[in-house]
């Protein structure tokens, strides 16, 4: 009997023209009149919702069962003192829900990995407040898509400000349900290795998304076949309820295992990932990298 193939995940956009999203800069937005701002966001949000539905169709046609939604779909949604974005998104609620339903109908799991500037445990109160507001906006989008308030629809962050794991542990239980019940934490190359994040995850019921490439860079290991990679895959799995929902990240260094930059395709798939059910592919080749991995898995599973 062949082993079940993992679900390899596509991250946000495609190399080709199929999945791309529009945006607007803050400078451009602020140069508009209030009426023009509303019109601009209405046009942009509607177009991006349409493209989200197109992403569902793109993934379904290729058998891709995991998709990372862009966290930049709705610029100005969390702009302090300006609720134009929120009002526009409310007006488009039926369209947004239909886009989410397209993923659900196709059996595609949807995750989100917001921007690096979200630092819940910053030592600056204004950054903590802005980060909480931004995270709440992302949770609002996932709610609007009709996605469950669970780790199935993961809302993923890095650990944030280094040396403040205790502060992060204290903050997580106070997050609004829409964010807290979806929250996952990922180890990074600098501030938080898995050893620093695991106690936070265990104390707060937050799953750990293990990234082997980040681990290799952080700990200066020779490659992703180091025995500790498997140890951390299993340790991270214990933070997932149920374990079958475990997600890991997969990438290769551009010029070697210790290179932080991502390669175009995946040429080294760590053996430690052999039984991981959900693998997000972080490669510059996007859909080409995912397609190559899926083809390789199909070949290996031919009986």
């Amino acid at each position: 009997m062949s082993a079940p193939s993992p679900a390899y995940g596509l991250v946000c956009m495609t190399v080709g023209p199929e999945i791309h999203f529009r945006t607007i800069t803050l400078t451009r937005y602020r140069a508009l009149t209030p009426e023009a701002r509303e019109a601009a966001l209405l046009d942009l949000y509607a177009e991006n919702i349409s493209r989200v539905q197109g992403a569902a169709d793109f993934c379904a046609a290729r058998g891709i069962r995991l998709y990372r939604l862009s966290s930049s779909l709705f610029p100005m949604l969390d702009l302090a003192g300006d609720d134009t974005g929120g009002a526009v998104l409310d007006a488009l609620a039926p369209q947004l829900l239909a886009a989410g339903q397209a993923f659900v109908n196709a059996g595609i799991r949807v995750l989100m990995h917001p921007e690096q500037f979200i630092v819940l445990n910053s030592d600056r109160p204004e950054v903590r407040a802005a980060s909480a507001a931004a995270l709440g906006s992302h949770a609002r989008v996932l709610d609007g898509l009709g996605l469950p308030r669970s780790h199935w629809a993961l809302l993923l962050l890095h650990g944030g400000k280094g040396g403040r794991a205790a502060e992060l542990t204290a903050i997580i239980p106070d997050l609004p349900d829409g964010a807290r019940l979806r929250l996952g934490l990922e180890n990074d190359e600098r501030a938080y290795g898995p050893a620093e994040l695991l106690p936070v995850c265990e104390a707060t019921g937050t799953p750990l998304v293990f990234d082997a490439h980040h681990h290799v860079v952080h700990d200066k290991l020779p490659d992703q076949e180091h025995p500790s990679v498997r140890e951390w895959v299993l340790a991270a799995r214990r933070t997932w309820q149920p374990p079958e929902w475990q997600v890991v990240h997969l990438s290769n260094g551009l010029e070697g295992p210790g290179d932080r930059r991502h390669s175009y395709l995946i040429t080294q798939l760590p053996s430690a990932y052999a039984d991981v059910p959900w693998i997000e592919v972080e490669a510059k080749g996007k859909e080409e990298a995912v397609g190559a991995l899926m083809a390789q898995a199909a070949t290996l599973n031919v009986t």
Side-chain angles (χ1 to χ4, degrees):
M1 179 182 294
S2 61
S5 298
Y8 290 109
L10 177 64
V11 174
C12 300
M13 295 187 291
T14 51
V15 173
E18 292 89 349
I19 306 175
H20 288 272
F21 300 102
R22 291 175 52 194
T23 191
I24 185 172
T25 66
L26 181 59
T27 299
R28 170 61 181 155
Y29 177 78
R30 284 181 168 164
L32 301 174
T33 65
E35 294 78 11
R37 290 177 182 181
E38 182 176 0
L41 292 187
L42 182 62
D43 180 61
L44 189 155
Y45 284 15
E47 180 64 22
N48 280 354
I49 290 172
S50 176
R51 295 183 187 192
V52 167
Q53 191 145 5
D57 296 338
F58 180 92
C59 291
R62 290 157 179 79
I64 297 171
R65 297 185 289 125
L66 179 65
Y67 180 68
R68 182 193 293 180
L69 189 70
S70 171
S71 58
S72 302
L73 292 173
F74 305 116
M76 314 305 154
L77 183 59
D78 61 347
L79 190 60
D82 184 345
D83 62 356
T84 304
V88 169
L89 194 64
D90 286 344
L92 294 170
Q95 294 93 319
L96 184 61
L97 184 60
Q101 193 61 46
F103 285 102
V104 174
N105 291 344
I108 300 168
R109 185 178 181 182
V110 178
L111 317 178
M112 187 182 285
H113 192 1
E115 299 87 347
Q116 299 281 358
F117 67 78
I118 295 182
V119 184
L120 293 173
N121 57 348
S122 172
D123 51 10
R124 298 167 54 193
E126 68 275 17
V127 174
R128 294 198 300 270
S131 296
L135 190 63
S137 290
H138 294 311
R140 177 179 183 175
V141 171
L142 294 176
D143 283 344
L145 288 162
L147 301 178
R149 287 187 169 186
S150 75
H151 297 125
W152 179 258
L154 195 70
L155 190 53
L156 183 61
L157 298 179
H158 290 292
K161 178 74 172 179
R164 291 177 62 84
E167 287 79 4
L168 182 60
T169 301
I171 289 166
I172 289 173
D174 292 332
L175 293 173
D177 284 354
R180 180 180 57 82
L181 296 175
R182 295 182 173 112
L183 186 67
L185 295 174
E186 177 193 0
N187 59 296
D188 61 67
E189 307 104 316
R190 295 177 178 173
Y192 287 94
E196 290 76 35
L197 278 185
L198 183 62
V200 178
C201 292
E202 291 175 333
T204 61
T206 303
L208 173 61
V209 174
F210 177 65
D211 187 309
H213 185 194
H214 288 173
H215 175 55
V216 165
V217 175
H218 182 276
D219 283 19
K220 299 179 173 60
L221 303 177
D223 55 45
Q224 295 185 31
E225 290 303 314
H226 191 272
S228 64
V229 173
R230 181 59 180 173
E231 293 169 6
W232 281 115
V233 166
L234 296 177
R237 183 171 299 164
R238 291 192 289 271
T239 68
W240 285 87
Q241 296 299 327
E244 293 78 16
W245 285 6
Q246 182 184 23
V247 178
V248 299
H249 282 181
L250 172 63
S251 59
N252 294 160
L254 181 61
E255 295 182 359
D259 190 342
R260 294 176 63 249
R261 299 170 298 172
H262 291 167
S263 59
Y264 190 81
L265 298 177
I266 300 297
T267 58
Q268 297 178 336
L269 176 62
S271 58
Y273 282 7
D275 60 351
V276 175
W278 302 91
I279 302 177
E280 275 199 286
V281 180
E282 296 185 318
K284 293 181 180 178
K286 302 287 187 176
E287 74 275 19
E288 295 178 24
V290 172
L293 286 166
M294 291 175 66
Q296 179 183 2
T299 299
L300 292 174
N301 284 335
V302 171
T303 55

